[in-house]
Amino acid sequence: DSGVTQTPKHLITATGQRVTLRCSPRSGDLSVYWYQQSLDQGLQFLIQYYNGEERAKGNILERFSAQQFPDLHSELNLSSLELGDSALYFCASRGLAGTEADTQYFGPGTRLTVL
Amino acid sequence: AQSVAQPEDQVNVAEGNPLTVKCTYSVSGNPYLFWYVQYPNRGLQFLLKYITGDNLVKGSYGFEAEFNKSQTSFHLKKPSALVSDSALYFCAVRAPSSGSARQLTFGSGTQLTVLP
């Protein structure tokens, strides 16, 4: 168990809908990363937050957005869903110092199925 | 831009035999290199990393990896494979110049199957 939690585990929805994925980082970690894992694209970085501020954007669609709250949990919002958005969405948090610095610890993921 | 190549989609090895999962990278500057493992319906689990220092890095579950700067490789190895090692393995890299973001770029993954 990495200490990173994600909810829900599974999400089934229809095209055109909007969903919210939630992530809680490990205790003490300030950084949260979101990744998408799909069969055709592999593992791709979406976006990163550090202590409430957006720090980097990767291959994130305009229909997707995220935020990090004062308690450091993060939410990834996916709107106008398309069939191709079906994927595993992972959250990771990064250690601050010592041997854990620079290491990202991943949550169990949320499997999104768009029908 | 940084990139990672895992040239083998699938590696099969007999239990008890040594295993190697290959990874090559491309990045500006000295790389930060990582190996993760993913079991079915599970998240990615950190195995080991190379930041600096000794080229041979030891990690969890008896795995180790060798950093080779001249060949830009970071192959994952284990002296004696177990059936329970069967999983999907990902190599990842980040550039030291990526600032505070430090996002990882992953390879396409290698499915390791250890045969009893």
Side-chain angles (χ1 to χ4, degrees):
Chain A
D1 184 1
S2 67
V4 178
T5 61
Q6 289 187 250
T7 56
K9 274 190 173 181
H10 302 277
L11 204 46
I12 301 175
T13 188
T15 54
Q17 295 299 303
R18 173 190 169 95
V19 297
T20 297
L21 281 53
R22 183 187 169 107
C23 166
S24 292
R26 298 184 321 153
S27 177
D29 287 352
L30 301 178
S31 281
V32 169
Y33 298 76
W34 286 97
Y35 292 86
Q36 179 195 59
Q37 185 181 30
S38 62
L39 282 175
D40 53 345
Q41 302 280 353
L43 257 169
Q44 289 201 99
F45 167 69
L46 296 178
I47 197 165
Q48 185 229 354
Y49 279 80
Y50 179 85
N51 202 20
E53 292 187 3
E54 180 186 304
R55 282 297 175 91
K57 270 188 174 181
N59 297 321
I60 188 166
L61 299 171
E62 284 194 14
R63 300 183 284 108
F64 295 2
S65 65
Q67 57 186 126
Q68 187 178 26
F69 295 86
D71 67 351
L72 300 177
H73 90 271
S74 177
E75 293 181 355
L76 180 67
N77 301 297
L78 316 176
S79 62
S80 303
L81 285 167
E82 302 175 359
L83 295 178
D85 297 327
S86 296
L88 255 176
Y89 291 85
F90 287 111
C91 164
S93 71
R94 176 165 55 84
L96 273 178
T99 57
E100 295 191 338
D102 289 306
T103 301
Q104 292 184 27
Y105 296 92
F106 283 75
T110 293
R111 182 172 292 281
L112 174 66
T113 303
V114 182
L115 301 175
Chain B
Q2 57 207 44
S3 64
V4 176
Q6 294 182 241
E8 300 158 319
D9 291 336
Q10 174 84 39
V11 169
N12 295 327
V13 64
E15 187 174 29
N17 282 2
L19 70 86
T20 299
V21 182
K22 295 179 181 177
C23 170
T24 58
Y25 65 89
S26 173
V27 71
S28 297
N30 295 319
Y32 288 35
L33 295 157
F34 304 81
W35 276 102
Y36 286 84
V37 59
Q38 185 178 24
Y39 295 98
N41 300 313
R42 302 282 295 275
L44 277 75
Q45 190 172 329
F46 169 71
L47 278 180
L48 51 81
K49 67 183 177 185
Y50 172 83
I51 304 296
T52 186
D54 194 349
N55 288 345
L56 185 64
V57 179
K58 294 189 182 297
S60 307
Y61 313 117
F63 284 93
E64 58 189 29
E66 186 166 14
F67 170 63
N68 187 317
K69 189 171 184 177
S70 62
Q71 297 186 4
T72 62
S73 67
F74 189 56
H75 301 331
L76 181 70
K77 301 181 180 185
K78 188 174 182 181
S80 178
L82 300 172
V83 172
S84 57
D85 293 330
S86 299
L88 187 57
Y89 289 80
F90 289 96
C91 181
V93 68
R94 86 158 176 88
S97 57
S98 55
S100 61
R102 310 186 194 185
Q103 67 266 32
L104 299 176
T105 298
F106 284 88
S108 55
T110 298
Q111 180 66 49
L112 173 68
T113 301
V114 181
L115 305 166

